[in-house]
Amino acid sequence: MSTGPRVVGQRLPRLDAPGKVTGTAVYAADFALPGMLHGKVLRSREAHARLLGVDAARARTLPGVRAVITAADVPDVRYGGALKDETVFARDKVRYVGQPVAAVAATTREAAEAALAAIDVAYEPLPAVFDVEAALAPGAPLIHEAWPTYTAIPILHREGNVCNRARIVAGDVERGFVEADRVFEHRFRTGMVHQGYTEPRAAVAVWDTSGQVTVWSNTQLPFEIQNTLAEILALPPSKIRVIVPGIGGGFGGKLRVGVEHFAALLARRAGRPVKIVTTCEEELTAAYPRQSTRVELKTGVTRDGRITAKAGRIWFDTGAFAGSGPGVASVATLVLAGPYRIPNLLIEGYAVYTNKTNCGSFRAPSGPQANFAVESQMDMIADALGLDPLDFRLKNIVREGDEGPTGQVLTAVGLEECLRRAAAAIGWADRRPTADRGKGLACGWWTTTGGSSGVYVKLNPDGTVALNTGAAEIGTAALTGAAQVLAEDLGVDLADISVVSADTFATPFDFGAQGSRTAFAVGNACRAAAADLRRQLCALAAAQWGVAAETLTVRDKHVVGDGKRIALVELARLSQASGGGLIAHGTFIAPPTAYDAKRVEAHVYPAFHSPSFHAHAVDLSVDRETGEVTLHRYVVAQDVGFAMNPTYIEGQIEGGVAQGLGQALSEEIVYEGGRVLNPNLTDYKMPTTLDLPRVESILVEHPSPVGPYGAKGVGEPPNIEPPAAVANAVAAAVGVRVTTLPITAEKVALALSGEATP
Amino acid sequence: MSFECHEPSSVTDAVALGARFGEEGRFLAGGTDLIIQMRRGKVGPRHVMSLHRVSGLDRIEADGAVRLGALVTHRTIERCPAFQGPLQALVESAAVVGGHQIRNVATVGGNIVNASPAADVVPVLLALDATVTCLGPDGERTLTLDGFLTGPGQTARRPGELLTSVRFDQLPPGSATAFVKAGRRKAMEISVVCVAVRLTLDAAHARCQEARIALGAVAPTTLRARAAERALEGQPLTDEVLRRAGRLAAGECGPIDDVRASARYRRLLVETLVPRALRRSLERIGRAA
Amino acid sequence: MSRLALSLRINGETHEVLTAPHRTLLDVLRDDLGLTGTKENCLEAECGVCTVLLDGRAVNACILLAAQCRGRDIVTIEGLASGGELHPLQRAFVERGAVQCGYCIPGMILSAKAYLEECPEASEDGIREALAGNLCRCTGYQKITEAVATAARELYGGRTTQ
Ligand SMILES: Cc1cc2nc3c(=O)[nH]c(=O)nc-3n(C[C@H](O)[C@H](O)[C@H](O)COP(=O)(O)OP(=O)(O)OC[C@H]3O[C@@H](n4cnc5c(N)ncnc54)[C@H](O)[C@@H]3O)c2cc1C
Ligand code: FES
Ligand code: FES
């Protein structure tokens, strides 16, 4: 046997690629059933209003209409995550433009649209709040008057329009400021942005005569949808089967119930399958985008550049419902503290209700917003102290064995290597190579989300192996990575593995494709299952040969030992003839990360598991007259622990950077008076081929003691640093410091012309 | 969307259908504006007259005066050898309309009749003093493009009239054109501001003989910056003169604030992009000489 | 409502369809003919997932009325692989790791095909320019650009510059 892994770590093509390049892969938006109806959702036109009446009588009589449902037709349930404040349809009042008020199913999309137009809704407008400042002002209207009565996890700190305030306190921040030679205070803002997956959210639901519903949906979390539907439909989960066909991107936007519940409710009412696909306008007005934020940072530093204290606050505009807000506000505090040694900290994250769409999770939730503030300020401080921004960071970064902000002990810390290699690759020594050209750096840290994963692994009659996992393949190639682990550990080729995934009836539980955890956790479950299957294979061979199983090993598609070998295909035949075939089960749950509970309050996410570290560097030019930014090169050095498949890790890096650069430069959902001004892709501006530079990926490997072969989560981090890196490079190029996202050409040009402060 | 679809096979048939349906009908060329406007509920014609079977309107004639058939696509303009010299701004503008998929079907006629103040090819045509020809039941009419564009989405076209061509004269020696555009992205952008210029120098190349400056997305229609043009004509084109033209153009346009940009920024862009386009034209004349 | 009888030539095969006048080529491909390899998203010609070839040129099927395609030659992603053999573009996308969620990929491949047929000596800038009307949210376009360059070399010899 060769030394070192044969399959895992190799640049092998992903298993699902052929179906995707030939158009035969079926996505949820492609899925159809005979007799299927088309559903549409009627959405509020008012941002905050009493709902005086919803009259659907006329709509019910229109040709082709098979079902119309309103709040009166569905169970009166409040559901949600950490805080249960949502209802299927608005009841009593509407809280944002876009909130569902009714839904219809008809034989064609056009008939469904005509039915929506025939529903009369009477509103009585109420005073509304459109940003965090207004929501927190004394006497501000309450978005949820009955907030104290809502069910919530007990640790949340709630008050009026604040649905959580998470806090980290370490050391004595005031004393830290006294010890500082200089104290810097800065404010930042970031805009609301959409995940921008190319496939809209889609679901098809059908009920059978036993009262069981099957939903095909492009969710990232089938088991979460199963539970939420159980709550909404008031049914046991065993009556709800959720299956994920292909998914055209998720990035956190497809974690929570979006259209599945409407499809299920309409299908039950109509007695026929119902399909719902969101429109682009619905996506940009009523999905789960990234929260806009305000940030205040106060940092104390000694003359020689040591950080003595940091006080930081970040406010998330979570929209009309809590959604992931309470959790995101918690995670944010760890990002706001940053990967730095800071003895004295007071960091707070607030999730605040407003009359806007309910925000959610977007790849590294809170990461880009908080990191933009932290890493911009690092450069601002370095400039003020006359220090090189790289040196200033190197003086303060965490290293092996240090404590994180909440007291977790950090191991496998590859940050210094990431910073040095990113800086070297971008040519840091020459930070301002020519007029109006500059380079910027930013670094950060992130978590590998926990949660459990189970897999079944089955030996096929031909000696190949079926991997059965509850996780969905959302495009990251995480399941190809997990299959590589399995192939490695079973001594077979990647091509010998086939994957069945994401069916709440047919596959084992999985916490889902979220939080950079899929390849990590499913990969570890595969390792456990492979060990189990190897044991079974050896036992079977041992019984044949009459030797002790312990003397045998599995390698090269055979069980070998005692001078003999037997092929897996032969063992498969034997097992089917004698014992119902071989199935192995593997599970994984990330061990808890110890932290100092005294340092946190109302905190949903007090430590980063198997944290990853990363540094980004960008080289760009600014057109002084128009403010236009042109990106020349981009470098990412990311500590991935172990690169399970370098090709797809690069893919995660290149794609994450692309999204990050969109947030940095061009993307924003713009609200005015509670309405989105740009609910289409004409004016919601995601980067095109011509907007993006080449990205050079440097894969740093400081193995996680817990990850499969040492891997850490890789999917989310690349999205975190681009805004800060760009802001720092723009400042280096033309001396303008933009403290709000996106950094549009307009902001840069007006600042350069002296007409505005950015 | 609900309408009757007609597929006339000749200009005559198209004009007859246009006359029959009047306000209730719309011609469909590439459909890159019309279909989207219909889907957004901005227009709701009862009759759509698709021009895909009408032949003869997709040609460029450039022997004497230049004539573009209304159905000439942006793709055809981009690749037209006759526009590689002094008329290069036509290529520059057509080449930045949407992506390949758009330019493969979208037409110059649609760009004109749609009358968006942000249209990209229209300012170039305006800078070339183009005229447009419309054909209706009462025969043919030729109007100046400037007179044809009356407001956002509005033109002097009579209900049912078919735009058949757009025409302009070849440029005299010592001339060049340039087009520049600003947007938030580097592709697939509706202009935040676009600028087309044409310069003709005197025989000695010492002074500007004639200048045209057309601005997009800074007024209800594509706009000629006449004060800026006057400030150039008869002058030696020093950088200071070009910059003054930029300031004048910024003064005479009337931009608005919208989700794409503020009025302030648009003025700043006009002030910057006008001299930039003029400089580019001057360089081109210099290179050609 | 009136209906149009259309004869559409798709991937070399003629299909007779009866459809309402407002329906687009995308509607007919996906809903009537079950050719769901052509994807659907913005419906406003902004994202390019619906790209097909019309007489060899890339177009957005979402804003093209089916009636406008009468008698013209349409190629969708289903028409690329022949006899179980992937087209060189498809193979390059698989091998270069250019596919993630895959939803943009059919449109990308068709835009790339139209471009390469016009410009066999593809350059990286040319490829990027040709794909500007196709949004991809997963890949950052880098491996897609590389895959197209790889396919160009395979299809047209070593002329491709990078
Ligand atoms: C994604 C996208 C990007 C775009 N980017 C740009 C851009 O960068 N720059 C830009 O300028 N435009 C852009 N556009 C707008 C559009 O593509 C152009 O305006 C195009 O030139 C319109 O031509 P068309 O043939 O598609 O017009 P159509 O949509 O077919 O027609 C437009 C209007 O003109 C009328 N019409 C068309 N032809 C005639 C005729 N011969 N006689 C009488 N009436 C007629 C129609 O009835 C309709 O009212 C973009 C559009 C999209 C969808
Ligand atoms: S669906 Fe056609 S371009 Fe987006
Ligand atoms: S691969 Fe997902 S959008 Fe391109």
Side-chain angles (χ1 to χ4, degrees):
Chain A
M1 188 166 133
S2 62
T3 54
R6 302 166 304 114
V7 185
V8 73
Q10 305 301 311
R11 291 180 177 272
L12 297 170
R14 58 187 302 145
L15 293 169
D16 55 3
K20 289 175 172 178
V21 297
T22 50
T24 50
V26 174
Y27 294 78
D30 304 331
F31 195 82
L33 289 174
M36 188 175 80
L37 301 171
H38 298 272
K40 287 270 168 198
V41 179
L42 181 70
R43 295 176 180 279
S44 168
R45 292 170 186 283
E46 295 291 329
H48 202 193
R50 208 151 292 297
L51 200 51
L52 301 178
V54 180
D55 180 359
R58 203 155 51 89
R60 291 196 163 96
T61 65
L62 291 182
V65 174
R66 296 288 181 271
V68 180
I69 53 173
T70 67
D73 304 301
V74 303
D76 184 5
V77 191
R78 269 187 203 284
Y79 63 95
L83 171 53
K84 297 193 187 296
D85 58 2
E86 286 178 70
T87 55
V88 172
F89 295 115
R91 296 177 173 261
D92 310 329
K93 69 174 190 171
V94 292
R95 292 179 169 87
Y96 70 94
V97 174
Q99 188 177 356
V101 171
V104 305
T107 48
T108 63
R109 288 193 246 196
E110 290 83 354
E113 267 157 25
L116 290 190
I119 300 175
D120 297 313
V121 186
Y123 303 100
E124 180 189 304
L126 295 167
V129 293
F130 299 128
D131 56 39
V132 163
E133 287 88 337
L136 298 177
L142 286 179
I143 313 290
H144 293 268
E145 293 85 348
W147 67 269
T149 68
Y150 290 172
T151 307
I153 56 170
I155 62 163
L156 298 188
H157 174 101
R158 299 188 290 142
E159 184 67 52
N161 287 335
V162 173
C163 62
N164 192 24
R165 187 204 62 203
R167 189 182 261 174
I168 299 177
V169 186
D172 177 344
V173 78
E174 287 312 320
R175 202 189 57 220
F177 288 129
V178 171
E179 286 167 6
D181 295 309
R182 307 260 318 255
V183 175
F184 296 89
E185 293 190 61
H186 297 106
R187 290 161 181 253
F188 303 86
R189 279 175 183 278
T190 67
M192 181 191 282
V193 289
H194 192 275
Q195 293 84 356
Y197 35 75
T198 47
E199 185 199 24
R201 287 171 297 159
V204 178
V206 64
W207 294 77
D208 70 13
T209 46
S210 75
Q212 176 195 310
V213 62
T214 303
V215 180
W216 288 264
S217 131
N218 51 13
T219 177
Q220 297 174 241
L221 305 183
F223 291 91
E224 167 94 6
I225 298 300
Q226 180 186 34
N227 284 330
T228 308
L229 287 179
E231 264 184 289
I232 290 173
L233 300 169
L235 284 175
S238 59
K239 291 284 182 197
I240 297 157
R241 179 174 191 181
V242 179
I243 301 173
V244 184
I247 312 183
F251 314 112
K254 293 173 178 168
L255 299 179
R256 292 157 53 203
V257 71
V259 288
E260 296 86 353
H261 51 330
F262 300 123
L265 288 160
L266 286 167
R268 180 155 72 181
R269 174 59 62 104
R272 281 168 63 172
V274 172
K275 176 174 187 173
I276 304 194
V277 183
T278 53
T279 63
C280 201
E281 179 171 355
E282 287 179 297
E283 283 299 335
L284 289 162
T285 57
Y288 301 119
R290 191 191 288 290
Q291 302 85 354
S292 62
T293 63
R294 271 186 60 194
V295 188
E296 289 178 6
L297 281 182
K298 179 175 171 187
T299 303
V301 197
T302 60
R303 208 165 292 114
D304 62 346
R306 230 174 5 86
I307 302 174
T308 59
K310 184 191 260 186
R313 284 197 279 183
I314 181 164
W315 290 267
F316 291 85
D317 180 341
T318 195
F321 300 94
S324 49
V328 171
S330 304
V331 174
T333 58
L334 293 169
V335 183
L336 217 51
Y340 297 112
R341 293 172 166 162
I342 308 176
N344 306 293
L345 287 173
L346 171 58
I347 311 278
E348 291 177 335
Y350 295 80
V352 183
Y353 286 131
T354 64
N355 291 112
K356 294 199 213 147
T357 192
N358 179 202
C359 293
S361 302
F362 178 174
R363 199 173 195 166
S366 84
Q369 301 108 302
N371 183 267
F372 169 63
V374 171
E375 291 296 285
S376 293
Q377 196 192 36
M378 287 300 283
D379 265 41
M380 292 155 97
I381 295 173
D383 281 353
L385 296 179
L387 295 174
D388 178 282
L390 173 62
D391 294 339
F392 179 45
R393 285 183 175 81
L394 289 172
K395 264 191 178 94
N396 289 284
I397 53 171
V398 289
R399 287 155 206 274
E400 198 67 24
D402 278 355
E403 275 189 1
T406 56
Q408 74 177 100
V409 177
L410 301 172
T411 58
V413 182
L415 185 54
E416 176 171 356
E417 184 179 344
C418 289
L419 269 167
R420 289 196 188 277
R421 291 180 67 181
I426 205 76
W428 186 249
D430 194 9
R431 253 181 91 203
R432 294 184 181 86
T434 53
D436 305 337
R437 184 158 177 171
K439 297 173 187 175
L441 261 183
C443 66
W445 70 316
W446 192 249
T447 185
T448 308
T449 297
S452 78
S453 286
V455 300
Y456 302 144
V457 169
K458 188 169 122 194
L459 187 64
N460 292 324
D462 56 1
T464 65
V465 176
L467 164 59
N468 182 313
T469 160
E473 172 55 72
I474 61 170
T476 59
L479 295 187
T480 295
Q484 283 177 264
V485 170
L486 185 62
E488 183 70 45
D489 285 7
L490 288 177
V492 301
D493 297 330
L494 179 60
D496 293 324
I497 311 278
S498 53
V499 179
V500 176
S501 69
D503 175 338
T504 59
F505 277 18
T507 62
F509 175 78
D510 192 281
F511 188 57
Q514 58 178 334
S516 306
R517 66 175 293 282
T518 317
F520 178 90
V522 180
N524 265 332
C526 282
R527 296 214 74 178
D532 181 10
L533 189 63
R534 282 198 312 266
R535 218 165 18 249
Q536 295 185 40
L537 288 165
C538 292
L540 193 59
Q544 289 296 310
W545 297 333
V547 301
E550 295 70 49
T551 63
L552 306 180
T553 54
V554 180
R555 95 169 52 127
D556 234 352
K557 306 186 194 187
H558 288 76
V559 171
V560 296
D562 196 32
K564 303 194 186 69
R565 47 196 274 129
I566 181 169
L568 295 193
V569 55
E570 186 59 18
L571 288 168
R573 198 186 55 72
L574 283 171
S575 74
Q576 292 197 339
S578 61
L582 296 188
I583 288 195
H585 185 202
T587 63
F588 174 73
I589 172 85
T593 303
Y595 64 98
D596 178 357
K598 290 190 298 299
R599 295 194 193 177
V600 295
E601 276 174 44
H603 211 291
V604 183
Y605 209 107
F608 279 174
H609 312 293
S610 289
S612 63
F613 298 89
H614 4 89
H616 291 210
V618 62
D619 172 4
L620 55 77
S621 302
V622 179
D623 181 323
R624 267 190 179 272
E625 292 178 320
T626 64
E628 189 186 353
V629 171
T630 300
L631 303 162
H632 303 300
R633 277 180 68 217
Y634 201 98
V635 177
V636 175
Q638 180 169 332
D639 177 6
V640 301
F642 166 76
M644 278 181 172
N645 186 328
T647 299
Y648 295 103
I649 293 182
E650 288 164 8
Q652 287 302 292
I653 290 175
E654 291 157 13
V657 166
Q659 280 178 322
L661 290 172
Q663 295 164 66
L665 291 165
S666 61
E667 291 176 38
E668 183 175 17
I669 296 178
V670 183
Y671 269 88
E672 190 177 86
R675 279 180 176 69
V676 175
L677 296 181
N678 54 342
N680 50 59
L681 296 189
T682 317
D683 286 308
Y684 185 78
K685 296 187 183 292
M686 294 185 275
T688 70
T689 47
L690 295 180
D691 295 293
L692 295 172
R694 279 193 152 261
V695 177
E696 183 181 333
S697 301
I698 301 170
L699 307 185
V700 174
E701 296 183 309
H702 290 242
S704 154
V706 189
Y709 290 88
K712 298 177 178 177
V714 297
E716 292 169 295
N719 198 27
I720 295 174
E721 287 94 343
V726 167
N728 290 341
V730 167
V734 290
V736 164
R737 171 58 61 179
V738 183
T739 55
T740 64
L741 293 181
I743 302 167
T744 58
E746 166 159 5
K747 286 180 191 168
V748 176
L750 292 178
L752 278 165
S753 75
E755 279 201 52
T757 43
Chain B
M1 292 204 295
S2 168
F3 52 80
E4 296 288 318
C5 188
H6 308 269
E7 301 167 59
S9 56
S10 68
V11 170
T12 320
D13 284 359
V15 171
L17 285 168
R20 194 162 120 216
F21 301 127
E23 303 268 20
E24 303 217 305
R26 286 274 183 158
F27 291 111
L28 175 76
T32 59
D33 282 314
L34 184 62
I35 298 293
I36 290 167
Q37 287 162 9
M38 286 167 59
R39 228 182 237 138
R40 289 189 185 177
K42 296 233 169 78
V43 294
R46 302 261 309 275
H47 298 274
V48 168
M49 302 162 285
S50 174
L51 300 173
H52 66 276
R53 291 171 63 202
V54 174
S55 56
L57 295 185
D58 58 353
R59 281 199 293 270
I60 300 177
E61 291 160 26
D63 313 339
V66 179
R67 243 183 62 120
L68 299 176
L71 296 182
V72 166
T73 61
H74 299 303
R75 174 196 170 87
T76 306
I77 295 177
E78 254 184 289
R79 288 162 177 73
C80 177
F83 300 156
Q84 300 302 326
L87 295 171
Q88 201 175 343
L90 275 171
V91 175
E92 287 176 306
S93 63
V96 293
V97 174
H100 279 220
Q101 294 97 319
I102 295 290
R103 303 203 287 279
N104 285 342
V105 297
T107 64
V108 64
N111 206 234
I112 295 170
V113 178
N114 188 56
S116 159
D120 283 326
V121 180
V122 173
V124 181
L125 294 170
L126 205 57
L128 291 167
D129 292 336
T131 58
V132 295
T133 301
C134 292
L135 189 60
D138 307 330
E140 207 172 72
R141 301 195 292 148
T142 294
L143 298 85
T144 63
L145 178 58
D146 204 12
F148 186 73
L149 303 168
T150 55
Q154 284 179 353
T155 67
R157 193 179 67 95
R158 295 185 186 137
E161 256 182 341
L162 180 73
L163 179 78
T164 52
S165 67
V166 50
R167 188 193 161 283
F168 52 86
D169 289 332
Q170 292 278 10
L171 298 180
S175 304
T177 57
F179 172 85
V180 288
K181 159 173 177 173
R184 198 175 277 197
R185 291 186 296 203
K186 301 203 191 304
M188 296 296 286
E189 272 296 275
I190 304 295
S191 286
V192 164
V193 164
C194 60
V195 174
V197 303
R198 159 165 72 93
L199 282 178
T200 302
L201 300 186
D202 63 12
H205 283 201
R207 283 165 190 276
C208 171
Q209 189 173 312
E210 196 172 40
R212 289 288 180 277
I213 299 173
L215 309 176
V218 288
T221 62
T222 307
L223 183 77
R224 283 260 310 267
R226 290 175 202 271
E229 292 171 359
R230 279 196 302 274
L232 296 171
E233 288 173 350
Q235 300 298 314
L237 296 182
T238 62
D239 211 50
E240 181 41 39
V241 171
L242 303 189
R243 269 199 262 217
R244 199 167 90 82
R247 286 193 298 274
L248 285 166
E252 62 189 307
C253 67
I256 53 164
D257 290 317
D258 66 16
V259 71
R260 292 177 192 148
S262 68
R264 258 189 332 158
Y265 181 52
R266 286 193 159 104
R267 270 189 215 280
L268 189 93
L269 282 174
V270 169
E271 192 179 327
T272 303
L273 297 184
V274 164
R276 196 174 279 191
L278 289 168
R279 251 174 249 133
R280 202 168 286 175
S281 281
L282 269 181
E283 281 161 23
R284 286 176 183 166
I285 297 173
R287 265 206 306 276
Chain C
M1 209 194 310
S2 68
R3 300 258 150 190
L4 299 174
L6 299 175
S7 172
L8 297 177
R9 204 168 158 69
I10 302 166
N11 302 329
E13 209 179 301
T14 302
H15 297 259
E16 307 295 337
V17 297
L18 193 64
T19 185
H22 68 267
R23 294 181 79 237
T24 59
L25 177 62
L26 185 64
D27 295 333
V28 170
L29 289 174
R30 287 175 62 85
D31 300 344
D32 299 359
L33 303 177
L35 292 171
T36 54
T38 307
K39 301 301 177 195
E40 174 171 305
N41 177 21
C42 70
L43 300 182
E44 295 198 349
E46 292 284 350
C47 74
V49 302
C50 64
T51 301
V52 300
L53 302 184
L54 183 67
D55 292 337
R57 295 194 182 150
V59 296
N60 299 114
C62 67
I63 58 158
L64 196 66
L65 296 183
Q68 291 172 281
C69 305
R70 204 193 277 278
R72 299 169 78 178
D73 211 34
I74 297 155
V75 175
T76 70
I77 192 69
E78 287 90 349
L80 247 60
S82 71
E85 272 284 297
L86 295 184
H87 183 276
L89 270 164
Q90 292 172 315
R91 204 163 52 238
F93 271 63
V94 172
E95 284 166 6
R96 297 302 295 246
V99 180
Q100 289 190 31
C101 82
Y103 202 73
C104 70
I105 296 296
M108 285 285 179
I109 289 178
L110 290 169
S111 285
K113 182 168 191 285
Y115 167 70
L116 291 185
E117 272 160 22
E118 191 178 358
C119 298
E121 38 259 77
S123 64
E124 169 158 355
D125 288 349
I127 295 168
R128 285 191 179 255
E129 205 277 326
L131 300 180
N134 294 76
L135 285 180
C136 173
R137 193 60 158 172
C138 296
T139 66
Y141 308 109
Q142 189 156 318
K143 296 202 189 307
I144 287 177
T145 310
E146 289 164 8
V148 177
T150 304
R153 280 191 294 271
E154 177 175 341
L155 280 162
Y156 302 105
R159 283 181 286 166
T160 311
T161 55
Q162 239 206 337

